[in-house]
Amino acid sequence: MNRTRKVFVLGDSLVAQYYGNRNSVTGQHGWGEVIENFFTDDVEVVNLANSGQYATGLEETAFSGVEANGENGDYFIIESGYNDTKHNTAAETTAAVVRMVNAAKAK
């Protein structure tokens, strides 16, 4: 049986899944909830985004899901920057993103 190609999405609240909150007063949701609508049925979106995250935080937490489950032919999309200035320098943010991209490419 062939494995479904995956699109791993990492990011902050702009991307995050808000289970059960879509119809609330705020209607808050991230684009990671709807991106699957732009792919065919032979692709599975794996949304690993988490509100409040930043590049080094994603690298230390959610990226392990990509490392453990990603395979050659999968895609990796990262959104970062909104919260990064509160936690890291631009150089630290860039270095974390580069490390994640290089590790994903190595898969």
Side-chain angles (χ1 to χ4, degrees):
M1 181 156 116
N2 290 336
R3 176 184 170 276
T4 301
R5 178 172 289 172
K6 298 192 184 328
V7 177
F8 293 94
V9 182
L10 274 72
D12 55 28
S13 62
L14 301 174
V15 184
Q17 185 87 24
Y18 292 90
Y19 298 99
N21 196 25
R22 280 183 140 170
N23 297 320
S24 71
V25 174
T26 64
Q28 185 174 14
H29 56 86
W31 59 258
E33 290 182 274
V34 298
I35 194 172
E36 67 185 8
N37 298 329
F38 298 92
F39 291 98
T40 56
D41 290 341
D42 60 342
V43 174
E44 176 187 352
V45 174
V46 180
N47 187 349
L48 301 172
N50 193 1
S51 183
Q53 278 293 359
Y54 45 95
T56 55
L58 290 167
E59 182 183 29
E60 294 166 358
T61 60
F63 187 67
S64 63
V66 177
E67 290 181 302
N69 300 296
E71 293 184 7
N72 188 25
D74 289 341
Y75 294 94
F76 171 55
I77 301 171
I78 183 168
E79 175 276 326
S80 187
Y82 185 77
N83 297 312
D84 288 275
T85 58
K86 300 173 195 168
H87 300 279
N88 297 315
T89 66
E92 290 168 326
T93 297
T94 300
V97 171
V98 167
R99 285 190 300 269
M100 287 186 281
V101 168
N102 288 340
K105 281 181 171 181
K107 300 290 286 179

XYZ file of all heavy atoms in Angstrom:
818
model
N 0.838 -1.172 0.000
C 0.000 0.000 0.000
C 0.885 1.238 0.000
O 1.829 1.345 0.780
C -0.884 -0.024 1.239
C -1.811 1.137 1.325
S -3.223 0.717 2.342
C -3.039 1.810 3.687
N 0.569 2.185 -0.879
C 1.329 3.422 -0.946
C 0.903 4.390 0.148
O -0.271 4.494 0.464
C 1.132 4.100 -2.303
C 1.808 3.344 -3.422
O 2.755 2.602 -3.197
N 1.328 3.526 -4.632
N 1.855 5.062 0.700
C 1.607 6.062 1.738
C 1.156 7.361 1.078
O 1.678 7.764 0.040
C 2.894 6.279 2.520
C 2.840 7.365 3.572
C 4.238 7.510 4.194
N 4.367 8.657 5.032
C 4.647 9.882 4.622
N 4.796 10.138 3.354
N 4.776 10.874 5.487
N 0.198 8.021 1.676
C -0.277 9.306 1.179
C 0.796 10.362 1.381
O 1.398 10.449 2.453
C -1.553 9.726 1.940
O -2.541 8.724 1.754
C -2.092 11.053 1.447
N 1.040 11.144 0.343
C 2.000 12.243 0.463
C 1.471 13.239 1.492
O 0.291 13.537 1.539
C 2.184 12.936 -0.875
C 3.153 14.118 -0.780
C 3.468 14.671 -2.106
N 4.305 13.670 -2.767
C 4.673 13.724 -4.037
N 4.282 14.703 -4.791
N 5.433 12.790 -4.556
N 2.369 13.753 2.310
C 1.966 14.660 3.383
C 2.524 16.067 3.167
O 3.600 16.236 2.604
C 2.447 14.123 4.725
C 1.835 12.764 5.059
C 2.082 12.365 6.471
C 1.572 10.997 6.825
N 0.402 10.512 6.179
N 1.763 17.035 3.622
C 2.207 18.423 3.670
C 2.228 18.801 5.143
O 1.181 18.918 5.778
C 1.260 19.360 2.890
C 1.715 20.814 3.029
C 1.185 18.961 1.428
N 3.420 18.918 5.710
C 3.576 19.297 7.112
C 3.590 20.820 7.203
O 4.335 21.479 6.480
C 4.876 18.729 7.679
C 4.886 17.244 7.788
C 5.407 16.457 6.765
C 4.364 16.611 8.910
C 5.417 15.079 6.863
C 4.371 15.225 9.019
C 4.897 14.464 7.993
N 2.744 21.359 8.077
C 2.632 22.806 8.244
C 2.972 23.154 9.688
O 2.386 22.608 10.621
C 1.199 23.287 7.912
C 1.096 24.787 8.049
C 0.794 22.844 6.515
N 3.941 24.045 9.858
C 4.323 24.529 11.186
C 4.164 26.032 11.216
O 4.420 26.704 10.221
C 5.783 24.191 11.497
C 6.083 22.821 12.084
C 5.921 21.754 11.048
C 7.476 22.804 12.643
N 3.756 26.555 12.364
C 3.624 27.991 12.498
C 3.029 28.370 13.836
O 2.971 27.570 14.765
N 2.545 29.604 13.902
C 1.967 30.140 15.130
C 0.451 30.251 14.987
O -0.159 29.506 14.216
C 2.623 31.479 15.470
C 2.541 32.495 14.334
O 1.581 32.425 13.525
O 3.409 33.363 14.242
N -0.160 31.191 15.695
C -1.615 31.326 15.696
C -2.190 31.650 14.322
O -3.357 31.381 14.061
C -2.049 32.409 16.689
O -1.515 33.661 16.310
N -1.386 32.193 13.433
C -1.865 32.488 12.087
C -2.156 31.220 11.299
O -2.894 31.239 10.322
C -0.844 33.343 11.334
C -0.504 34.691 11.975
C 0.625 35.370 11.227
C -1.733 35.577 12.032
N -1.586 30.110 11.740
C -1.706 28.829 11.044
C -2.487 27.789 11.856
O -3.075 26.870 11.305
C -0.289 28.265 10.748
C -0.360 26.989 9.939
C 0.574 29.292 10.046
N -2.521 27.954 13.150
C -3.007 26.922 14.070
C -4.446 26.481 13.815
O -5.262 27.210 13.258
C -2.874 27.411 15.514
N -4.709 25.281 14.251
C -6.046 24.686 14.220
C -6.776 25.093 15.500
O -6.236 24.944 16.581
C -5.906 23.161 14.174
C -7.175 22.394 14.019
C -7.562 22.223 12.569
O -6.720 22.268 11.688
N -8.823 22.029 12.318
N -7.975 25.595 15.364
C -8.774 25.986 16.521
C -9.993 25.083 16.594
O -11.066 25.413 16.104
C -9.186 27.468 16.439
C -7.998 28.375 16.584
C -7.267 28.779 15.479
C -7.575 28.787 17.836
C -6.163 29.588 15.616
C -6.460 29.597 17.986
C -5.759 29.996 16.867
O -4.655 30.794 17.011
N -9.803 23.917 17.175
C -10.859 22.916 17.265
C -12.058 23.460 18.026
O -11.923 23.956 19.128
C -10.334 21.661 17.960
C -9.210 21.011 17.194
C -7.888 21.233 17.552
C -9.478 20.189 16.116
C -6.850 20.652 16.845
C -8.452 19.606 15.398
C -7.144 19.838 15.764
O -6.131 19.266 15.059
N -13.215 23.361 17.423
C -14.443 23.751 18.093
C -14.630 25.236 18.268
O -15.601 25.678 18.849
N -13.721 26.042 17.762
C -13.780 27.480 17.996
C -14.199 28.258 16.746
O -14.401 29.450 16.796
C -12.418 27.989 18.479
C -12.506 29.369 19.093
O -13.548 29.772 19.580
N -11.407 30.098 19.042
N -14.345 27.604 15.625
C -14.626 28.292 14.370
C -15.924 29.087 14.394
O -16.027 30.121 13.781
C -14.693 27.298 13.235
C -13.360 26.904 12.740
C -13.555 25.999 11.594
N -12.588 26.314 10.570
C -12.394 25.570 9.541
N -13.106 24.497 9.356
N -11.498 25.896 8.659
N -16.930 28.598 15.079
C -18.227 29.267 15.085
C -18.442 30.109 16.329
O -19.547 30.514 16.627
C -19.347 28.227 14.952
C -19.257 27.508 13.623
O -18.974 28.112 12.613
N -19.478 26.207 13.651
N -17.382 30.373 17.053
C -17.491 31.173 18.272
C -17.651 32.646 17.912
O -17.632 33.031 16.746
C -16.254 30.985 19.147
O -15.152 31.622 18.533
N -17.773 33.454 18.890
C -17.928 34.892 18.685
C -16.738 35.462 17.919
O -16.884 36.281 17.018
C -18.111 35.615 20.042
C -18.133 37.112 19.855
C -19.372 35.128 20.726
N -15.543 35.017 18.254
C -14.353 35.540 17.582
C -14.157 34.925 16.207
O -13.576 35.548 15.333
C -13.077 35.280 18.407
O -12.867 33.867 18.496
C -13.165 35.904 19.775
N -14.604 33.708 16.041
C -14.429 33.027 14.763
C -12.971 32.808 14.412
O -12.616 32.678 13.251
N -12.105 32.760 15.412
C -10.676 32.646 15.177
C -10.339 31.318 14.519
O -10.810 30.261 14.922
C -9.923 32.767 16.501
C -8.428 32.786 16.342
C -7.720 33.041 17.655
O -8.311 32.960 18.721
N -6.454 33.348 17.585
N -9.535 31.390 13.497
C -8.994 30.187 12.867
C -7.745 30.563 12.095
O -7.543 31.720 11.745
C -10.021 29.480 11.983
C -10.610 30.344 10.919
N -10.029 30.517 9.702
C -11.725 31.098 10.916
C -10.759 31.329 8.969
N -11.793 31.702 9.682
N -6.905 29.582 11.856
C -5.669 29.808 11.115
C -5.773 29.240 9.718
O -6.600 28.374 9.444
N -4.902 29.705 8.838
C -4.965 29.216 7.467
C -4.600 27.745 7.353
O -4.960 27.092 6.371
C -4.158 30.080 6.511
C -2.682 30.229 6.777
C -2.062 31.291 7.342
C -1.640 29.307 6.434
N -0.707 31.089 7.395
C -0.423 29.881 6.833
C -1.618 28.049 5.821
C 0.803 29.242 6.658
C -0.394 27.409 5.644
C 0.798 28.009 6.057
N -3.947 27.204 8.370
C -3.641 25.776 8.362
C -4.890 24.907 8.400
O -4.863 23.746 8.009
N -5.996 25.473 8.850
C -7.256 24.733 8.894
C -7.870 24.565 7.514
O -8.637 23.635 7.299
C -8.278 25.464 9.777
C -7.945 25.446 11.240
C -9.013 26.144 12.051
O -8.924 27.376 12.190
O -9.925 25.456 12.539
N -7.588 25.466 6.618
C -8.252 25.443 5.318
C -7.327 25.126 4.154
O -7.800 24.929 3.036
C -8.983 26.780 5.048
C -10.075 27.007 6.083
C -8.009 27.954 5.033
N -6.035 25.057 4.393
C -5.102 24.837 3.290
C -5.362 23.507 2.569
O -5.120 23.389 1.380
C -3.630 24.942 3.757
C -2.702 25.056 2.541
C -3.251 23.810 4.673
C -1.271 25.363 2.865
N -5.911 22.543 3.286
C -6.191 21.248 2.648
C -7.177 21.392 1.490
O -7.184 20.561 0.576
C -6.714 20.246 3.675
C -8.067 20.585 4.222
C -8.502 19.646 5.330
O -7.710 18.813 5.786
O -9.658 19.769 5.748
N -7.984 22.435 1.486
C -8.937 22.661 0.401
C -8.259 22.992 -0.917
O -8.904 22.977 -1.964
C -9.907 23.787 0.769
C -10.735 23.456 1.986
O -11.047 22.299 2.246
N -11.077 24.470 2.749
N -6.972 23.300 -0.879
C -6.236 23.671 -2.079
C -5.374 22.526 -2.616
O -4.597 22.724 -3.547
C -5.369 24.909 -1.799
C -6.199 26.102 -1.434
C -6.484 26.387 -0.113
C -6.737 26.907 -2.431
C -7.271 27.482 0.225
C -7.526 27.998 -2.101
C -7.795 28.285 -0.772
N -5.528 21.343 -2.024
C -4.811 20.158 -2.475
C -5.801 19.104 -2.943
O -6.971 19.120 -2.562
C -3.959 19.570 -1.329
C -2.786 20.429 -0.943
C -2.862 21.282 0.148
C -1.616 20.390 -1.675
C -1.798 22.080 0.506
C -0.537 21.182 -1.329
C -0.629 22.029 -0.229
N -5.326 18.183 -3.723
C -6.159 17.065 -4.151
C -6.279 16.050 -3.018
O -5.546 16.120 -2.028
C -5.553 16.403 -5.398
O -4.199 16.017 -5.103
C -5.567 17.362 -6.587
N -7.175 15.108 -3.179
C -7.442 14.126 -2.129
C -6.276 13.168 -1.865
O -6.276 12.464 -0.871
C -8.683 13.296 -2.478
C -9.954 14.111 -2.397
O -9.940 15.173 -1.746
O -10.961 13.692 -2.991
N -5.288 13.157 -2.754
C -4.159 12.252 -2.558
C -3.046 12.875 -1.718
O -1.940 12.341 -1.640
C -3.620 11.761 -3.899
C -3.137 12.901 -4.792
O -3.521 14.067 -4.551
O -2.390 12.610 -5.741
N -3.356 14.004 -1.060
C -2.404 14.685 -0.183
C -3.053 14.875 1.186
O -4.212 15.239 1.285
C -2.009 16.070 -0.762
C -1.141 16.841 0.207
C -1.312 15.905 -2.096
N -2.281 14.615 2.235
C -2.774 14.820 3.598
C -2.020 15.976 4.243
O -0.793 15.974 4.287
C -2.561 13.555 4.430
C -2.958 13.705 5.880
C -2.590 12.495 6.735
O -2.164 11.465 6.178
O -2.708 12.609 7.966
N -2.747 16.952 4.751
C -2.133 18.071 5.463
C -2.013 17.703 6.938
O -2.979 17.268 7.554
C -2.954 19.365 5.298
C -2.380 20.483 6.159
C -3.003 19.782 3.831
N -0.814 17.860 7.481
C -0.554 17.607 8.894
C -0.204 18.953 9.525
O 0.887 19.473 9.329
C 0.597 16.591 9.089
C 0.853 16.348 10.567
C 0.315 15.296 8.344
N -1.161 19.516 10.242
C -0.982 20.848 10.818
C -0.394 20.726 12.225
O -1.064 20.311 13.160
C -2.325 21.585 10.856
C -2.186 23.030 11.272
O -1.126 23.461 11.728
N -3.253 23.789 11.140
N 0.858 21.107 12.365
C 1.560 21.036 13.643
C 1.750 22.423 14.267
O 2.538 22.585 15.191
C 2.929 20.354 13.453
C 2.885 18.932 12.898
C 4.295 18.439 12.577
C 2.194 18.003 13.868
N 1.021 23.407 13.762
C 1.138 24.778 14.264
C 0.564 24.888 15.671
O -0.324 24.131 16.061
C 0.404 25.732 13.331
N 1.091 25.860 16.407
C 0.654 26.066 17.780
C 0.696 27.566 18.088
O 1.723 28.218 17.907
C 1.557 25.298 18.739
C 0.991 25.215 20.125
O -0.098 25.702 20.410
N 1.748 24.608 21.016
N -0.398 28.084 18.567
C -0.496 29.499 18.880
C 0.622 29.929 19.829
O 0.945 29.240 20.781
C -1.864 29.778 19.524
O -2.017 31.134 19.781
N 1.219 31.070 19.536
C 2.276 31.612 20.379
C 3.667 31.146 20.030
O 4.643 31.613 20.622
N 3.804 30.242 19.074
C 5.129 29.699 18.760
C 5.975 30.674 17.965
O 5.499 31.657 17.414
C 4.997 28.383 17.992
C 4.753 27.196 18.867
C 5.949 26.864 19.768
O 6.996 27.505 19.753
N 5.782 25.843 20.574
N 7.247 30.367 17.906
C 8.259 31.134 17.194
C 9.268 30.128 16.670
O 9.222 28.939 17.016
C 8.903 32.173 18.118
C 9.257 31.609 19.479
C 10.525 31.128 19.747
C 8.288 31.517 20.482
C 10.837 30.591 20.983
C 8.600 30.977 21.718
C 9.867 30.516 21.961
O 10.172 29.961 23.180
N 10.174 30.537 15.806
C 11.030 29.599 15.080
C 11.788 28.626 15.978
O 11.735 27.416 15.760
C 12.003 30.356 14.183
N 12.495 29.126 16.988
C 13.260 28.190 17.820
C 12.335 27.304 18.645
O 12.653 26.153 18.913
C 14.259 28.924 18.747
O 13.556 29.899 19.525
C 15.355 29.607 17.951
N 11.183 27.815 19.027
C 10.201 26.992 19.740
C 9.650 25.888 18.856
O 9.476 24.748 19.303
N 9.362 26.210 17.594
C 8.890 25.190 16.656
C 9.957 24.121 16.432
O 9.661 22.934 16.369
C 8.505 25.835 15.323
C 7.258 26.696 15.335
C 7.167 27.526 14.058
C 6.015 25.845 15.513
N 11.188 24.578 16.321
C 12.306 23.641 16.115
C 12.433 22.680 17.300
O 12.692 21.489 17.116
C 13.601 24.419 15.924
C 14.807 23.546 15.649
C 16.091 24.340 15.528
O 16.221 25.413 16.154
O 16.973 23.866 14.804
N 12.215 23.183 18.506
C 12.362 22.377 19.715
C 11.154 21.478 19.998
O 11.249 20.550 20.787
C 12.595 23.301 20.912
C 13.907 24.049 20.843
C 13.985 25.195 21.846
O 13.011 25.439 22.568
O 15.044 25.852 21.879
N 10.016 21.773 19.382
C 8.794 21.018 19.696
C 8.196 20.356 18.459
O 8.445 19.196 18.196
C 7.747 21.934 20.372
O 7.419 23.020 19.487
C 8.255 22.489 21.692
N 7.427 21.087 17.713
C 6.633 20.520 16.615
C 7.469 19.916 15.494
O 7.038 18.959 14.846
C 5.699 21.585 16.045
N 8.656 20.446 15.264
C 9.462 19.927 14.163
C 9.825 18.461 14.348
O 10.062 17.754 13.372
C 10.720 20.780 13.936
C 11.473 20.368 12.703
C 10.917 20.561 11.451
C 12.711 19.764 12.797
C 11.583 20.160 10.302
C 13.394 19.367 11.673
C 12.830 19.564 10.411
N 9.821 17.977 15.574
C 10.106 16.552 15.792
C 9.084 15.678 15.069
O 9.399 14.556 14.664
C 10.128 16.227 17.289
O 8.847 16.454 17.856
N 7.858 16.180 14.879
C 6.846 15.437 14.123
C 7.224 15.280 12.661
O 6.951 14.245 12.044
N 7.861 16.295 12.104
C 8.345 16.222 10.719
C 9.518 15.252 10.644
O 9.584 14.400 9.757
C 8.759 17.614 10.197
C 9.325 17.525 8.791
C 7.584 18.588 10.258
N 10.427 15.376 11.594
C 11.605 14.494 11.597
C 11.214 13.030 11.751
O 11.774 12.161 11.098
C 12.563 14.900 12.709
C 13.241 16.226 12.447
C 14.212 16.610 13.530
O 13.792 16.711 14.697
O 15.397 16.819 13.198
N 10.235 12.766 12.602
C 9.840 11.380 12.867
C 8.979 10.788 11.751
O 9.053 9.588 11.493
C 9.078 11.298 14.194
N 8.171 11.616 11.092
C 7.181 11.087 10.158
C 7.354 11.508 8.714
O 6.722 10.925 7.830
C 5.776 11.505 10.631
C 5.479 10.963 11.999
O 5.401 9.764 12.205
N 5.336 11.852 12.975
N 8.172 12.505 8.472
C 8.375 12.965 7.104
C 9.153 11.959 6.285
O 10.018 11.251 6.791
N 8.796 11.899 5.014
C 9.481 11.005 4.089
C 9.806 11.754 2.808
O 9.235 12.809 2.526
C 8.599 9.793 3.767
C 8.361 8.882 4.950
C 7.570 7.629 4.585
O 7.309 7.403 3.385
O 7.221 6.893 5.518
N 10.698 11.193 2.026
C 11.048 11.758 0.735
C 9.775 11.946 -0.089
O 8.957 11.050 -0.174
C 12.033 10.834 0.020
C 12.582 11.463 -1.241
O 12.624 12.677 -1.376
N 12.990 10.626 -2.168
N 9.589 13.134 -0.645
C 8.401 13.430 -1.435
C 7.343 14.218 -0.688
O 6.396 14.720 -1.286
N 7.470 14.321 0.630
C 6.553 15.136 1.419
C 6.950 16.605 1.276
O 8.047 16.932 0.824
C 6.615 14.753 2.903
C 6.006 13.401 3.200
O 5.222 12.888 2.380
O 6.318 12.851 4.276
N 6.055 17.469 1.704
C 6.307 18.906 1.685
C 6.319 19.453 3.105
O 5.669 18.908 4.000
C 5.225 19.632 0.875
C 5.262 19.273 -0.581
C 4.462 18.253 -1.080
C 6.098 19.944 -1.459
C 4.496 17.915 -2.417
C 6.143 19.611 -2.799
C 5.337 18.595 -3.270
O 5.373 18.249 -4.594
N 7.032 20.556 3.277
C 7.175 21.189 4.581
C 6.991 22.689 4.407
O 7.711 23.328 3.645
C 8.568 20.858 5.130
C 8.971 21.602 6.360
C 8.186 21.580 7.496
C 10.159 22.313 6.395
C 8.567 22.266 8.644
C 10.557 22.998 7.526
C 9.754 22.968 8.655
N 5.976 23.247 5.076
C 5.706 24.683 5.015
C 5.837 25.235 6.431
O 5.251 24.694 7.362
C 4.287 24.965 4.487
C 4.102 24.370 3.089
C 4.009 26.457 4.483
C 2.667 24.427 2.591
N 6.612 26.297 6.558
C 6.771 26.916 7.875
C 6.399 28.393 7.787
O 6.773 29.085 6.838
C 8.199 26.733 8.425
C 8.308 27.330 9.826
C 9.232 27.296 7.498
C 9.570 26.955 10.561
N 5.640 28.843 8.762
C 5.302 30.261 8.909
C 5.867 30.677 10.256
O 5.614 30.046 11.265
C 3.779 30.457 8.872
C 3.330 31.886 9.132
C 3.230 32.233 10.604
O 2.885 31.364 11.424
O 3.515 33.388 10.948
N 6.650 31.733 10.240
C 7.240 32.209 11.476
C 7.556 33.683 11.318
O 7.690 34.175 10.203
C 8.512 31.424 11.790
O 9.009 31.763 13.046
N 7.674 34.374 12.415
C 8.050 35.770 12.386
C 7.182 36.649 13.255
O 7.641 37.646 13.796
N 5.928 36.292 13.393
C 4.998 37.129 14.147
C 5.404 37.243 15.614
O 5.384 38.329 16.181
C 3.579 36.569 14.017
C 2.527 37.438 14.658
C 2.087 38.584 14.024
C 1.996 37.119 15.898
C 1.135 39.403 14.601
C 1.040 37.930 16.492
C 0.615 39.066 15.833
O -0.321 39.867 16.416
N 5.779 36.128 16.225
C 6.167 36.124 17.643
C 7.672 36.132 17.865
O 8.124 36.258 18.996
C 5.583 34.889 18.346
C 4.074 34.900 18.327
O 3.448 35.897 18.651
N 3.480 33.788 17.933
N 8.437 35.987 16.811
C 9.881 35.801 16.950
C 10.602 36.968 17.595
O 11.530 36.765 18.373
C 10.503 35.476 15.587
C 10.136 34.093 15.136
O 10.834 33.142 15.542
O 9.126 33.941 14.429
N 10.189 38.188 17.310
C 10.911 39.341 17.860
C 10.809 39.418 19.376
O 11.636 40.064 20.011
C 10.399 40.662 17.246
O 9.003 40.785 17.495
C 10.665 40.702 15.751
N 9.826 38.731 19.942
C 9.686 38.699 21.400
C 10.620 37.682 22.046
O 10.840 37.716 23.255
C 8.244 38.335 21.778
C 7.207 39.295 21.269
C 5.827 38.743 21.556
C 4.778 39.483 20.761
N 3.484 38.829 20.791
N 11.149 36.753 21.246
C 11.909 35.634 21.807
C 13.337 35.501 21.268
O 14.179 34.921 21.943
C 11.170 34.321 21.540
C 9.805 34.283 22.131
N 9.583 33.988 23.455
C 8.579 34.528 21.597
C 8.284 34.028 23.706
N 7.657 34.365 22.597
N 13.568 35.962 20.050
C 14.863 35.724 19.400
C 15.334 36.933 18.615
O 14.527 37.777 18.223
C 14.755 34.558 18.400
C 14.411 33.252 19.045
O 14.978 32.893 20.070
N 13.464 32.533 18.471
N 16.615 36.928 18.322
C 17.151 37.906 17.380
C 16.828 37.424 15.968
O 16.468 36.262 15.762
C 18.676 38.030 17.529
O 19.283 36.783 17.136
C 19.083 38.403 18.946
N 16.991 38.298 15.010
C 16.767 37.914 13.614
C 17.713 36.786 13.215
O 17.322 35.854 12.496
C 16.948 39.119 12.700
N 18.936 36.837 13.693
C 19.916 35.795 13.363
C 19.507 34.444 13.948
O 19.646 33.407 13.290
C 21.298 36.192 13.876
N 18.996 34.440 15.179
C 18.544 33.185 15.798
C 17.341 32.612 15.063
O 17.259 31.396 14.848
C 18.182 33.419 17.271
C 19.372 33.709 18.155
C 18.970 34.209 19.534
O 17.947 34.922 19.662
O 19.700 33.870 20.495
N 16.428 33.474 14.663
C 15.250 33.032 13.917
C 15.666 32.431 12.587
O 15.229 31.332 12.221
C 14.278 34.205 13.698
O 13.820 34.655 14.970
C 13.099 33.802 12.836
N 16.513 33.147 11.872
C 16.985 32.658 10.573
C 17.706 31.331 10.714
O 17.472 30.399 9.934
C 17.916 33.699 9.915
O 17.184 34.914 9.736
C 18.445 33.214 8.579
N 18.565 31.211 11.702
C 19.318 29.972 11.906
C 18.384 28.799 12.196
O 18.579 27.695 11.670
C 20.315 30.142 13.043
N 17.352 29.005 13.006
C 16.403 27.935 13.321
C 15.647 27.499 12.080
O 15.472 26.291 11.832
C 15.435 28.389 14.412
N 15.206 28.456 11.275
C 14.473 28.117 10.041
C 15.390 27.365 9.074
O 14.989 26.344 8.495
C 13.873 29.379 9.388
C 13.317 29.069 8.009
C 12.796 29.975 10.280
N 16.612 27.833 8.922
C 17.564 27.166 8.020
C 17.827 25.734 8.486
O 17.854 24.805 7.671
C 18.871 27.978 7.901
C 19.978 27.177 7.230
C 18.611 29.279 7.138
N 18.001 25.531 9.780
C 18.233 24.168 10.296
C 17.040 23.262 9.999
O 17.207 22.115 9.582
C 18.515 24.191 11.800
C 19.901 24.687 12.173
C 20.226 24.462 13.648
N 19.305 25.153 14.548
C 19.493 26.389 15.015
N 20.561 27.085 14.654
N 18.612 26.926 15.850
N 15.817 23.765 10.215
C 14.627 22.944 9.940
C 14.503 22.632 8.457
O 14.209 21.484 8.084
C 13.365 23.642 10.457
C 13.232 23.623 11.968
S 11.659 24.289 12.546
C 11.963 26.056 12.432
N 14.725 23.621 7.623
C 14.625 23.398 6.171
C 15.674 22.383 5.726
O 15.372 21.448 4.965
C 14.766 24.737 5.392
C 14.955 24.482 3.913
C 13.538 25.604 5.642
N 16.895 22.528 6.171
C 17.949 21.584 5.795
C 17.642 20.172 6.288
O 17.867 19.200 5.563
C 19.307 22.062 6.310
C 19.813 23.257 5.540
O 19.390 23.535 4.414
N 20.731 24.007 6.143
N 17.137 20.044 7.499
C 16.792 18.715 8.016
C 15.633 18.105 7.231
O 15.631 16.900 6.947
C 16.430 18.812 9.505
N 14.652 18.917 6.865
C 13.529 18.404 6.068
C 13.996 17.985 4.673
O 13.573 16.943 4.171
C 12.432 19.472 5.970
N 14.867 18.759 4.075
C 15.407 18.419 2.753
C 16.182 17.102 2.798
O 16.185 16.339 1.828
C 16.342 19.514 2.248
C 15.653 20.700 1.685
C 16.716 21.686 1.200
C 16.144 22.823 0.429
N 17.190 23.748 -0.062
N 16.843 16.849 3.902
C 17.656 15.631 4.037
C 16.809 14.366 4.075
O 17.324 13.266 3.901
C 18.524 15.725 5.290
N 15.519 14.515 4.368
C 14.621 13.348 4.422
C 14.499 12.765 3.045
O 14.188 11.713 2.754
C 13.244 13.724 4.954
C 13.222 14.298 6.350
C 13.523 13.354 7.440
C 12.433 12.391 7.740
N 12.714 11.470 8.772
